[in-house]
Amino acid sequence: MPSMPSADEPLTPLQMGINGLKLLFAMSPLIALFYIVYTGFEDEEVEQLKRKKKGDFEMDGHAE
């Protein structure tokens, strides 16, 4: 890993890219969590249809 330059040396584009990748990898669990929470909900109509279908089933083929 390249070391950080001192305060008087500017960052090179390579160092900035490496630092950006480090930040992206560090933030990836939070990004994934927010994505799951954001996409985890459905429209109210879709949820109502699923709840309606939940008790609407038949047990064909079961000999009891």
Side-chain angles (χ1 to χ4, degrees):
M1 288 274 167
S3 62
M4 293 294 295
S6 64
D8 55 343
E9 296 177 22
L11 287 174
T12 64
L14 178 63
Q15 289 170 330
M16 289 171 56
I18 289 172
N19 288 341
L21 283 175
K22 286 180 187 179
L23 181 64
L24 180 66
F25 286 136
M27 297 294 290
S28 63
L30 288 176
I31 294 169
L33 179 65
F34 286 131
Y35 176 76
I36 289 169
V37 169
Y38 180 72
T39 60
F41 298 103
E42 295 179 336
D43 294 333
E44 188 68 29
E45 299 87 25
V46 175
E47 286 191 20
Q48 291 297 331
L49 283 173
K50 282 187 176 181
R51 289 180 186 169
K52 185 178 172 185
K53 283 185 168 182
K54 190 175 185 179
D56 184 24
F57 64 92
E58 295 179 14
M59 296 184 62
D60 291 335
H62 289 79
E64 289 189 29

